């Protein structure tokens, strides 16, 4: 058996946008990511909310390692924090070279209600919900 040969690594991380991030930089990041991810056979998505990034990327360990190295040198964000790293049998987002997902403005709206997100793995739904909840303006807790 070729255990691990076709395995895919899926990572999720958050980071904070730097103060030098221009309004159109997020679009440039998506464009560049899609081009690089196509080249490196990476898939995933990005959410930008309240000056923070949430990203999920899937691919070979070597491609992910190279990406993480580039991300660490990118001055457009800082405070990169890994949330999960999972080996998966098949990609959850095989057709998304780097999809930008807009945060749902309805607080607490289940991510599964957004068209196309019903196939999200449970652990990612949970991480996205946490990210979006932390991105909401502070409200009084019940």
């Amino acid at each position: 058996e070729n255990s691990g040969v076709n395995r895919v690594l899926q990572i999720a991380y958050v980071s904070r946008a730097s103060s030098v991030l221009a309004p159109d930089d997020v679009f440039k990041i998506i464009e560049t990511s899609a081009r690089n991810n196509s080249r490196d056979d990476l898939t995933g998505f990005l959410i930008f909310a309240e000056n923070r990034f949430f990203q999920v990327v899937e691919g070979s360990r070597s491609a992910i390692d190279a990406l993480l190295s580039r991300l660490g040198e990118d001055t457009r964000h800082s405070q990169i924090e890994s949330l999960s790293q999972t080996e998966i049998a098949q990609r959850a987002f095989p057709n998304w070279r780097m999809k930008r997902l807009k945060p749902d403005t309805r607080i607490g709206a289940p991510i599964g209600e957004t068209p196309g997100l019903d196939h999200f793995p449970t652990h990612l739904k949970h991480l996205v919900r946490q990210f979006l909840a932390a991105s909401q303006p502070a409200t009084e807790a019940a």
Side-chain angles (χ1 to χ4, degrees), residues 47-97:
I47 302 172
F48 182 67
E50 296 298 313
N51 238 26
R52 293 165 63 240
F53 293 102
F54 177 95
Q55 187 167 19
V56 170
V57 185
E58 308 169 320
S60 70
R61 183 171 293 279
S62 60
I64 297 268
D65 287 345
L67 172 69
L68 291 174
S69 176
R70 287 195 306 273
L71 289 173
E73 296 167 8
D74 192 330
T75 57
R76 295 172 298 188
H77 69 153
S78 63
Q79 299 173 23
I80 300 172
E81 179 191 346
S82 177
L83 300 177
S84 77
Q85 220 177 80
T86 316
E87 271 206 356
I88 53 177
Q90 65 182 41
R91 295 172 194 253
F93 314 102
N95 302 317
W96 292 357
R97 283 298 161 191

Side-chain angles (χ1 to χ4, degrees), residues 13-140:
Y13 74 87
V14 291
S15 63
R16 183 160 298 286
S18 70
S19 56
V20 300
L21 194 74
D24 64 341
D25 275 350
V26 175
F27 296 104
K28 289 179 186 168
I29 289 168
I30 297 287
E31 277 181 358
T32 305
S33 296
R35 191 169 55 245
N36 291 343
N37 291 354
S38 190
R39 176 195 69 206
D40 300 335
D41 195 25
L42 292 170
T43 53
F45 67 88
L46 177 80
I47 302 172
F48 182 67
E50 296 298 313
N51 238 26
R52 293 165 63 240
F53 293 102
F54 177 95
Q55 187 167 19
V56 170
V57 185
E58 308 169 320
S60 70
R61 183 171 293 279
S62 60
I64 297 268
D65 287 345
L67 172 69
L68 291 174
S69 176
R70 287 195 306 273
L71 289 173
E73 296 167 8
D74 192 330
T75 57
R76 295 172 298 188
H77 69 153
S78 63
Q79 299 173 23
I80 300 172
E81 179 191 346
S82 177
L83 300 177
S84 77
Q85 220 177 80
T86 316
E87 271 206 356
I88 53 177
Q90 65 182 41
R91 295 172 194 253
F93 314 102
N95 302 317
W96 292 357
R97 283 298 161 191
M98 188 43 60
K99 180 145 179 97
R100 180 178 185 186
L101 301 180
K102 304 273 186 172
D104 194 320
T105 52
R106 296 170 301 146
I107 186 160
I111 192 90
E113 287 179 12
T114 308
L117 301 191
D118 46 343
H119 69 286
F120 260 52
T122 305
H123 74 285
L124 290 181
K125 283 185 190 179
H126 178 69
L127 291 175
V128 169
R129 281 197 191 107
Q130 281 186 320
F131 173 78
L132 293 175
S135 299
Q136 293 290 337
T139 55
E140 286 187 35

